[in-house]
Short mmCIF file of all heavy atoms in Angstrom, two decimals:
data_model
loop_
_atom_site.label_atom_id
_atom_site.label_comp_id
_atom_site.label_asym_id
_atom_site.label_seq_id
_atom_site.Cartn_x
_atom_site.Cartn_y
_atom_site.Cartn_z
N LYS A 250 0.67 2.12 -0.99
CA LYS A 250 1.43 3.39 -1.02
C LYS A 250 0.64 4.44 -0.22
O LYS A 250 -0.58 4.49 -0.20
CB LYS A 250 1.55 3.84 -2.47
CG LYS A 250 2.25 2.82 -3.33
CD LYS A 250 3.55 3.41 -3.90
CE LYS A 250 4.23 2.35 -4.72
NZ LYS A 250 5.33 2.90 -5.48
N GLU A 293 -10.79 30.41 11.95
CA GLU A 293 -11.22 29.02 12.04
C GLU A 293 -12.53 28.79 11.25
O GLU A 293 -12.65 27.83 10.49
CB GLU A 293 -11.37 28.66 13.49
CG GLU A 293 -11.77 27.24 13.75
CD GLU A 293 -11.82 26.93 15.25
OE1 GLU A 293 -11.03 27.50 16.01
OE2 GLU A 293 -12.65 26.09 15.61
N GLU A 294 -13.45 29.70 11.47
CA GLU A 294 -14.78 29.58 10.82
C GLU A 294 -14.65 29.63 9.31
O GLU A 294 -15.22 28.83 8.58
CB GLU A 294 -15.62 30.74 11.37
CG GLU A 294 -17.04 30.80 10.90
CD GLU A 294 -17.66 32.17 11.24
OE1 GLU A 294 -17.19 32.80 12.27
OE2 GLU A 294 -18.53 32.63 10.59
N THR A 355 25.11 25.48 3.32
CA THR A 355 25.37 24.59 2.16
C THR A 355 24.09 23.94 1.67
O THR A 355 23.07 23.84 2.39
CB THR A 355 26.40 23.50 2.53
OG1 THR A 355 25.75 22.65 3.51
CG2 THR A 355 27.68 24.08 3.09
N THR A 448 0.72 31.20 -18.56
CA THR A 448 1.28 31.41 -19.91
C THR A 448 0.20 31.12 -20.92
O THR A 448 -0.82 30.57 -20.62
CB THR A 448 2.54 30.54 -20.14
OG1 THR A 448 3.04 30.82 -21.42
CG2 THR A 448 2.21 29.05 -20.03
N GLU A 467 -2.90 25.47 -12.60
CA GLU A 467 -3.33 26.23 -11.43
C GLU A 467 -3.06 27.74 -11.67
O GLU A 467 -2.50 28.10 -12.68
CB GLU A 467 -2.52 25.77 -10.20
CG GLU A 467 -1.04 25.95 -10.43
CD GLU A 467 -0.15 25.22 -9.42
OE1 GLU A 467 -0.45 24.10 -9.09
OE2 GLU A 467 0.78 25.87 -8.97
N TYR A 478 0.63 42.42 -15.78
CA TYR A 478 0.17 41.59 -16.88
C TYR A 478 -0.41 40.28 -16.34
O TYR A 478 0.17 39.62 -15.50
CB TYR A 478 1.34 41.25 -17.79
CG TYR A 478 1.12 40.05 -18.66
CD1 TYR A 478 0.38 40.14 -19.82
CD2 TYR A 478 1.66 38.79 -18.32
CE1 TYR A 478 0.15 39.04 -20.61
CE2 TYR A 478 1.42 37.71 -19.11
CZ TYR A 478 0.67 37.81 -20.23
OH TYR A 478 0.45 36.73 -21.04
N LEU A 502 -2.18 18.22 -13.21
CA LEU A 502 -2.68 18.27 -11.81
C LEU A 502 -3.38 19.59 -11.61
O LEU A 502 -2.84 20.64 -11.87
CB LEU A 502 -1.48 18.14 -10.87
CG LEU A 502 -0.70 16.83 -10.96
CD1 LEU A 502 0.67 16.99 -10.25
CD2 LEU A 502 -1.48 15.68 -10.42
N PRO A 508 -5.49 31.30 -1.86
CA PRO A 508 -5.43 31.24 -0.38
C PRO A 508 -6.83 31.28 0.20
O PRO A 508 -7.67 32.14 -0.15
CB PRO A 508 -4.67 32.52 0.00
CG PRO A 508 -3.94 32.97 -1.26
CD PRO A 508 -4.81 32.48 -2.38
N GLU A 526 -12.53 38.92 -3.72
CA GLU A 526 -13.61 37.99 -3.40
C GLU A 526 -14.49 37.74 -4.67
O GLU A 526 -14.90 36.61 -4.94
CB GLU A 526 -14.46 38.55 -2.26
CG GLU A 526 -15.54 37.60 -1.75
CD GLU A 526 -15.00 36.28 -1.15
OE1 GLU A 526 -13.85 36.26 -0.68
OE2 GLU A 526 -15.76 35.28 -1.24
N GLN A 528 -13.62 37.64 -7.65
CA GLN A 528 -12.94 36.82 -8.65
C GLN A 528 -13.08 35.31 -8.43
O GLN A 528 -12.73 34.51 -9.27
CB GLN A 528 -11.42 37.13 -8.69
CG GLN A 528 -11.03 38.56 -8.88
CD GLN A 528 -11.74 39.23 -10.01
OE1 GLN A 528 -11.73 38.76 -11.18
NE2 GLN A 528 -12.45 40.33 -9.72
N ILE A 536 -12.95 25.48 -9.63
CA ILE A 536 -12.66 24.62 -10.76
C ILE A 536 -13.83 23.69 -11.03
O ILE A 536 -14.33 23.53 -12.15
CB ILE A 536 -11.34 23.84 -10.56
CG1 ILE A 536 -10.13 24.78 -10.60
CG2 ILE A 536 -11.19 22.68 -11.57
CD1 ILE A 536 -8.83 24.16 -10.27
N LYS A 538 -17.03 23.90 -10.10
CA LYS A 538 -18.31 24.53 -10.41
C LYS A 538 -18.28 25.53 -11.56
O LYS A 538 -19.35 25.89 -12.12
CB LYS A 538 -18.89 25.20 -9.17
CG LYS A 538 -19.20 24.19 -8.08
CD LYS A 538 -20.16 24.75 -7.05
CE LYS A 538 -20.67 23.65 -6.17
NZ LYS A 538 -21.57 24.15 -5.12
N TYR A 553 -14.41 12.44 -17.40
CA TYR A 553 -12.93 12.41 -17.67
C TYR A 553 -12.27 13.55 -16.85
O TYR A 553 -11.23 13.26 -16.19
CB TYR A 553 -12.76 12.66 -19.16
CG TYR A 553 -11.34 13.12 -19.58
CD1 TYR A 553 -10.28 12.20 -19.53
CD2 TYR A 553 -11.13 14.42 -20.03
CE1 TYR A 553 -8.99 12.58 -19.89
CE2 TYR A 553 -9.84 14.83 -20.40
CZ TYR A 553 -8.76 13.93 -20.36
OH TYR A 553 -7.55 14.31 -20.70
N ASN A 556 -12.23 12.64 -13.09
CA ASN A 556 -11.29 11.57 -12.84
C ASN A 556 -9.86 12.04 -12.84
O ASN A 556 -9.02 11.46 -12.11
CB ASN A 556 -11.48 10.43 -13.85
CG ASN A 556 -12.56 9.46 -13.35
OD1 ASN A 556 -12.66 9.20 -12.14
ND2 ASN A 556 -13.36 8.91 -14.28
#
Side-chain angles (χ1 to χ4, degrees):
K250 302 242 178 170
E293 181 175 329
E294 183 191 332
T355 65
T448 182
E467 60 192 44
Y478 160 79
L502 298 165
E526 186 62 27
Q528 307 309 307
I536 290 174
K538 294 199 169 179
Y553 162 72
N556 272 325

